[in-house]
Amino acid sequence: KEPAATIVETLKDMTSYEGEDAVFECKLSRETTQDAQWFLGDVPLQSNEMNEIRVQGTRHTLILRKVTLEDCGPVSFKVGQHTSAA
């Protein structure tokens, strides 16, 4: 059984203007097959035309495209028992 990955670089709070892209990054202690999930408020996010979710090794990136006022709120990243929020 693989040891659980932990979050070594947490999310940073950010401010963006309507119409801009907002980029959030998290870094894990190791590459993992565990489920990693992004949330906006309580809503789980998936990659689509509005959100881009990338994984490059241990770095997990969320890009919210052309944000609107409705996108305002807490963004969180969860992996296993670990959570980071901004």
Side-chain angles (χ1 to χ4, degrees):
K1 183 174 178 335
E2 68 172 343
T6 58
I7 297 170
V8 292
E9 227 172 84
T10 58
L11 295 174
K12 292 174 181 48
D13 289 338
M14 70 169 308
T15 303
S16 45
Y17 295 96
E18 211 165 3
E20 290 183 344
D21 291 352
V23 180
F24 296 91
E25 277 194 339
C26 229
K27 194 170 180 193
L28 300 182
S29 57
R30 55 194 300 282
E31 288 187 42
T32 180
T33 55
Q34 280 179 285
D35 285 342
Q37 180 69 62
W38 289 95
F39 294 87
L40 180 56
D42 295 331
V43 180
L45 299 176
Q46 295 172 336
S47 249
N48 58 31
E49 65 280 348
M50 298 304 295
N51 317 309
E52 184 180 337
I53 295 172
R54 288 188 201 152
V55 180
Q56 292 166 303
T58 60
R59 186 169 299 283
H60 292 249
T61 307
L62 168 68
I63 302 167
L64 299 177
R65 302 228 175 266
K66 298 183 175 46
V67 294
T68 65
L69 289 172
E70 286 80 58
D71 296 320
C72 188
V75 169
S76 58
F77 175 79
K78 273 187 188 134
V79 62
Q81 301 298 308
H82 304 279
T83 304
S84 177

